[in-house]
Amino acid sequence: MSITVQVGLLSGKTATVEASLDEEVGTSKRRAQAALGVGAGWLVNSSGSVLDVHSTILDAGIQHGDSLTLHIYRVQIQTSSVSCASILGDGSVVTWGDPSCGGDSSAVQEQLKNVQQIQTTQQAFAAIVGDGSVVTWGAAAHGGDTGAAQHQLKTVKHIQASTASFAAVLGDESVATWGHAHYGGDSSAVQHQLKNVQQIQATRSAFAAILADGSVVTWGDADRGGDSSAVQHQLKNVQQIQATRSAFAALLADGSVVSWGAAFCGGDSNAVQEQLKNVQQIQATQNAFAAIVGDGSVVTWGAAEDGGDSGAVQHQLKDVQQIQATCRAFAAVLGHGTVVVWGAARFGGDSSAVQGKLKNVQQIQTTDRAFAAILDDGSVVTWGHARFGGDSSAVKDQLKTVQQIQAAGRAFAAILADGSVVTWGDADNGGGSSAVQYQLRLWVFAAGRFARVIGLPRGRGFIAGSYCRSTGQLEQAHGASAIRKELDDDYQVVSGFIEKPGLLRVEHEVPEVLSRGQVFLDAATGLGGKVELPASLGGQVRFHGPKGTECWRVLEWGFDPFTPGAPPKCEEALPPETTVPAADEARHSIRLPDSDRAETTDNRLN
């Protein structure tokens, strides 16, 4: 039985969609996206609930004539010091970077559905999912394990993070904390005060919560902002709080500022207090604050070498629109789109090499030691420490139509207009996102053969983001050249055979680059690329191929097909109880011809 529903956008545009009661909501959603000519989004019913894309139309309670709303969303990225996590168009999450610090989310992947927000400590992530609960992963001591707080984490509205702990604002405006106690993971001493909480800010080891009446409650390391008793009488009508690594600065309703915490990190603003009037915005490096005041000028305080002294450029700081900061330097965007920087040169405080390019700047983002500016034409200009993302020359040609930039401590990630992601900086700490650029992928070795399938995830790009019956329809909708380019750039299917360990030959490839019988990979000579094997099982295989570095997570590892002269079966095979994700339904096996007896093993990477 089929029904008809109306699906509308917030703009008012609507489309009529026909759906079968036994089909998944996700199928109808993709049909609606095609009809409305938009990308992926949340499908929401009349009561405001997000519909599960895996439920059937019948189970979701959708009836004939219902009106649904499609909320369009973009790819979102959150970053720890050495790892990145991205919320994709379907609400799932992919991660890359240091596996021990949140770069590997495989243990909780099945729980990461309909993700609304991600927050991060230095070595762990926490995600709010559609039902308001929280999923965590990464280093347990840094908040990767919610522990005793798990039963409280319901109807979570927002999460904030210090270096090693999380604080969540719940639906009743109370607070739940977890992680390292010294870093604010234990709020028991002030729990009775944490009512009607509106927002939370954090230093590296303390939290500050603004309540509905404009007062402030603090906890954590007392010397680094966790004790506000000396200024508590001044903390009234607080509108916003900003933080360095060890101090807080609160912006009050009258435009004045109150600061506390470690004096050397900006906790003492007495020297500039008379200038801190009609303050519009406050930004912070790790040891200094910078405030934009009403006339567009800037007031700074804290460690001079870390941006607390702007005297050398003060005459240029006029009509300032926004300020961003690395660990030890500031960058201000002026009204006409130029940029003024100050602070430690090796942390981005010197932009002289690119100053001529810094025109019509729209937005700036930072790593620990580098800046990246988006210009009005969608291109990007970078400066600062090269290894921290200050040199983007390797991906310059890809950095076009950039919509947004996010950053880890040592790497940048740019989201382009088509939803794809370009990264640069330290490859081991988030700068190499090839592990997720082709998120839907599988590389299987079986029966002396291999098959490798790569493509964009559902909702990404023209092909996976459209509902069309054929390539011809796609070309009509988006243009033949655009479709062909996406097929060439983002899709690959290769099948072939293992001539011997370390030597793989092609039988079929689409798009065709190599002909039948040609070498796909010869590890002995380096033809076709280079392979780095993981130090231990459960790690990643890095394939440095023609299109750059790819990271493949090992699902099963029964033998080594990459190393010349490798034994037919690994000494350390995965234990028998190891399971494969549900998406990888079929088991594959290999019978090794050079073994003394038939061995049945299989390899699966994704």
Side-chain angles (χ1 to χ4, degrees):
M1 178 181 173
S2 294
I3 62 172
T4 300
V5 296
Q6 285 286 117
V7 180
L9 302 175
L10 295 178
S11 64
K13 184 178 180 180
T14 63
T16 301
V17 176
E18 189 173 302
S20 299
L21 292 178
D22 59 352
E23 75 180 24
E24 289 189 345
V25 170
T27 301
S28 299
K29 181 169 74 76
R30 291 191 297 276
R31 196 175 294 131
Q33 289 165 196
L36 292 165
V38 296
W42 306 110
L43 199 57
V44 178
N45 63 21
S46 57
S47 64
S49 299
V50 176
L51 299 177
D52 185 350
V53 293
H54 300 294
S55 294
T56 64
I57 295 294
L58 181 63
D59 291 341
I62 301 173
Q63 300 179 10
H64 181 74
D66 278 358
S67 294
L68 308 176
T69 304
L70 184 64
H71 291 264
I72 305 302
Y73 47 63
R74 295 173 180 264
V75 174
Q76 302 175 50
I77 295 177
Q78 188 57 268
T79 57
S80 71
S81 60
V82 291
S83 300
C84 296
S86 176
I87 305 176
L88 300 183
D90 61 357
S92 63
V93 171
V94 291
T95 56
W96 66 98
D98 189 327
S100 64
C101 298
D104 181 2
S105 58
S106 57
V108 295
Q109 199 63 49
E110 287 303 306
Q111 302 173 55
L112 292 171
K113 297 176 181 178
N114 293 331
V115 174
Q116 312 289 304
Q117 179 206 346
I118 294 179
Q119 187 56 272
T120 174
T121 62
Q122 195 169 47
Q123 297 183 24
F125 291 92
I128 303 175
V129 296
D131 63 0
S133 62
V134 172
V135 178
T136 59
W137 67 99
H142 284 245
D145 181 356
T146 55
Q150 186 61 49
H151 72 282
Q152 300 175 256
L153 297 174
K154 301 174 182 178
T155 64
V156 174
K157 296 168 58 178
H158 179 70
I159 296 177
Q160 185 55 272
S162 67
T163 297
S165 64
F166 291 102
V169 180
L170 310 183
D172 62 0
E173 297 183 343
S174 64
V175 172
T177 57
W178 68 97
H180 199 300
H182 180 71
Y183 291 84
D186 181 2
S187 57
S188 57
V190 295
Q191 198 64 48
H192 62 289
Q193 301 176 53
L194 292 171
K195 299 175 181 178
N196 301 316
V197 174
Q198 304 302 297
Q199 63 172 276
I200 296 178
Q201 186 55 273
T203 62
R204 288 190 175 182
S205 52
F207 290 97
I210 303 176
L211 308 189
D213 62 2
S215 62
V216 173
V217 177
T218 58
W219 69 97
D221 188 337
D223 295 330
R224 289 170 169 75
D227 180 4
S228 57
S229 57
V231 295
Q232 196 64 48
H233 63 288
Q234 301 177 57
L235 293 172
K236 299 176 181 179
N237 299 316
V238 174
Q239 306 296 299
Q240 172 197 340
I241 295 177
Q242 187 56 271
T244 62
R245 66 176 179 174
S246 300
F248 290 106
L251 176 59
L252 309 189
D254 63 1
S256 62
V257 173
V258 177
S259 59
W260 70 97
F264 63 89
C265 291
D268 181 0
S269 56
N270 287 330
V272 295
Q273 201 63 49
E274 287 303 308
Q275 301 173 55
L276 291 172
K277 297 177 180 178
N278 195 22
V279 173
Q280 307 297 303
Q281 178 199 344
I282 301 175
Q283 187 55 270
T285 62
Q286 65 179 11
N287 293 321
F289 290 102
I292 303 175
V293 296
D295 63 359
S297 63
V298 172
V299 178
T300 56
W301 70 99
E305 64 274 20
D306 293 345
D309 180 1
S310 55
V313 296
Q314 196 65 46
H315 63 287
Q316 301 177 55
L317 292 172
K318 300 175 182 179
D319 192 24
V320 175
Q321 303 298 303
Q322 61 171 289
I323 296 177
Q324 290 293 348
T326 63
C327 284
R328 300 182 61 188
F330 289 105
V333 180
L334 309 188
H336 52 279
T338 59
V339 173
V340 177
V341 301
W342 70 98
R346 64 185 183 279
F347 285 76
D350 179 3
S351 60
S352 56
V354 296
Q355 197 63 45
K357 301 177 182 178
L358 291 171
K359 300 176 181 178
N360 301 315
V361 173
Q362 305 297 301
Q363 177 195 140
I364 292 179
Q365 189 54 270
T366 73
T367 61
D368 287 347
R369 300 190 184 189
F371 291 95
I374 303 177
L375 309 189
D376 64 348
D377 63 358
S379 62
V380 172
V381 176
T382 57
W383 69 98
H385 199 302
R387 279 184 22 229
F388 286 71
D391 180 2
S392 57
S393 57
V395 294
K396 179 181 177 181
D397 292 340
Q398 301 175 55
L399 291 173
K400 300 174 181 178
T401 67
V402 174
Q403 306 295 298
Q404 177 189 354
I405 294 177
Q406 290 290 347
R410 293 170 175 252
F412 289 104
I415 302 172
L416 310 189
D418 64 358
S420 60
V421 178
V422 176
T423 62
W424 68 98
D426 190 334
D428 291 328
N429 293 287
S433 66
S434 54
V436 298
Q437 289 294 309
Y438 304 116
Q439 182 56 27
L440 292 180
R441 60 201 194 140
L442 187 65
W443 197 347
V444 181
F445 296 83
R449 311 178 72 80
F450 73 93
R452 171 184 155 104
V453 182
I454 296 176
L456 294 179
R458 183 179 296 170
R460 179 79 64 85
F462 295 123
I463 298 169
S466 301
Y467 188 83
C468 294
R469 291 189 179 90
S470 65
T471 304
Q473 282 191 345
L474 283 168
E475 292 177 349
Q476 286 183 347
H478 304 291
S481 60
I483 296 302
R484 292 300 172 189
K485 183 178 187 303
E486 186 172 287
L487 283 171
D488 290 341
D489 292 346
D490 299 322
Y491 292 83
Q492 182 191 45
V493 178
V494 182
S495 65
F497 58 93
I498 308 168
E499 186 169 303
K500 60 183 179 180
L503 181 57
L504 312 182
R505 291 188 183 275
V506 170
E507 284 191 324
H508 302 285
E509 182 176 23
V510 179
E512 185 173 355
V513 177
L514 299 174
S515 302
R516 183 184 181 91
Q518 285 191 288
V519 173
F520 181 78
L521 174 67
D522 186 345
T525 65
L527 182 62
K530 176 185 176 184
V531 175
E532 295 178 24
L533 299 182
S536 60
L537 294 171
Q540 291 182 333
V541 171
R542 288 178 177 265
F543 175 53
H544 304 282
K547 291 189 175 182
T549 300
E550 302 168 359
C551 298
W552 294 79
R553 180 165 52 92
V554 178
L555 297 180
E556 291 196 10
W557 188 257
F559 70 105
D560 179 0
F562 297 116
T563 305
K569 189 168 183 176
C570 290
E571 294 180 2
E572 288 187 285
L574 291 177
E577 64 271 21
T578 298
T579 58
V580 180
D584 193 19
E585 297 174 355
R587 288 192 56 83
H588 303 271
S589 65
I590 179 168
R591 186 178 299 276
L592 299 169
D594 54 346
S595 176
D596 291 337
R597 58 189 176 83
E599 296 278 9
T600 300
T601 63
D602 66 312
N603 277 13
R604 267 174 280 191
L605 314 177
N606 80 350

